[in-house]
């Protein structure tokens, strides 16, 4: 690994032979990098895990579960949008939509009698409840938008 920067004296560069695959010399990399990084202001509080809003994280949780459960049947061309998140006492009502590219995918995502969609929601719920620190009531719909991944408006 070679570190380069305008602020670095090139006579002091270190090359660290390492292999993550064989776990050789990996413990030397981070301390070496830290020697060359300048200190600067913290952009986030120390306990901040992400800069993404909760809606985005919930959407990604649902998408992850859908992709895991449908890995053999649906390509990665799905997205999830959270339409609303409303707190009702100690319960958070979440309305989300899974967007797929083809009508034929819609039936696969829903599954026979809605079983696959129910399974996706059931597997996403515990993580959502942990993150939000409250019970979650989720309603998930599926819609097909042909070539949504190629549309700038849909991607936004």
């Amino acid at each position: 690994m070679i570190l380069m920067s305008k602020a670095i004296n090139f006579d002091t560069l270190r090359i660290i032979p390492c292999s993550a695959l064989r776990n050789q010399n990996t413990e030397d990399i981070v301390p070496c990098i830290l020697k060359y990084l300048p200190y600067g202001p913290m952009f986030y509080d120390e306990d901040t895990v992400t800069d993404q809003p909760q809606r985005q994280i919930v959407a990604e949780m649902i998408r992850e579960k859908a992709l895991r459960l449908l890995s053999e049947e649906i390509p990665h061309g799905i997205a999830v949008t959270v339409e609303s998140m409303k707190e009702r006492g100690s319960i958070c009502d979440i309305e989300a939509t899974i967007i797929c590219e083809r009508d034929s995918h819609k039936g696969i995502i829903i599954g026979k009698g809605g079983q696959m969609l129910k399974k996706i929601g059931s597997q996403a719920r515990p993580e959502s409840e942990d993150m939000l620190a409250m019970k979650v009531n989720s309603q998930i719909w599926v819609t097909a938008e042909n070539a949504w991944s190629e549309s700038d408006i849909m991607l936004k």
Side-chain angles (χ1 to χ4, degrees), residues 16-137:
I16 302 174
C18 66
S19 170
L21 186 63
R22 292 187 290 277
N23 198 22
Q24 295 175 335
N25 293 336
T26 55
E27 68 280 350
D28 296 336
I29 295 172
V30 172
C32 181
I33 292 171
L34 291 176
K35 285 189 341 189
Y36 295 102
L37 291 177
Y39 285 97
M42 290 181 61
F43 293 110
Y44 301 101
D45 293 333
E46 235 177 83
D47 60 345
T48 300
V49 177
T50 181
D51 62 343
Q52 295 297 308
Q54 287 180 330
R55 288 177 99 129
Q56 183 64 33
I57 297 169
V58 168
E60 282 303 307
M61 287 176 184
I62 295 168
R63 183 173 184 269
E64 175 200 1
K65 301 311 176 200
L67 290 174
R68 286 186 191 275
L69 290 167
L70 300 165
S71 64
E72 298 296 319
E73 302 175 56
I74 301 290
H76 286 70
I78 64 170
V80 176
T81 60
V82 173
E83 312 302 331
S84 72
M85 283 180 64
K86 297 177 184 170
E87 289 185 25
R88 181 172 42 96
S90 62
I91 299 172
C92 183
D93 293 316
I94 297 173
E95 295 180 4
T97 303
I98 298 174
I99 304 166
C100 59
E101 292 200 335
R102 297 192 181 114
D103 285 328
S104 60
H105 292 170
K106 188 175 173 180
I108 295 168
I109 295 169
I110 294 170
K112 185 177 181 182
Q115 289 300 338
M116 182 57 70
L117 193 57
K118 183 177 180 178
K119 199 171 187 179
I120 292 168
S122 294
Q123 288 191 11
R125 186 173 301 110
E127 286 182 40
S128 300
E129 289 177 342
D130 286 347
M131 182 189 71
L132 298 170
M134 61 175 46
K135 293 288 183 188
V136 168
N137 174 36

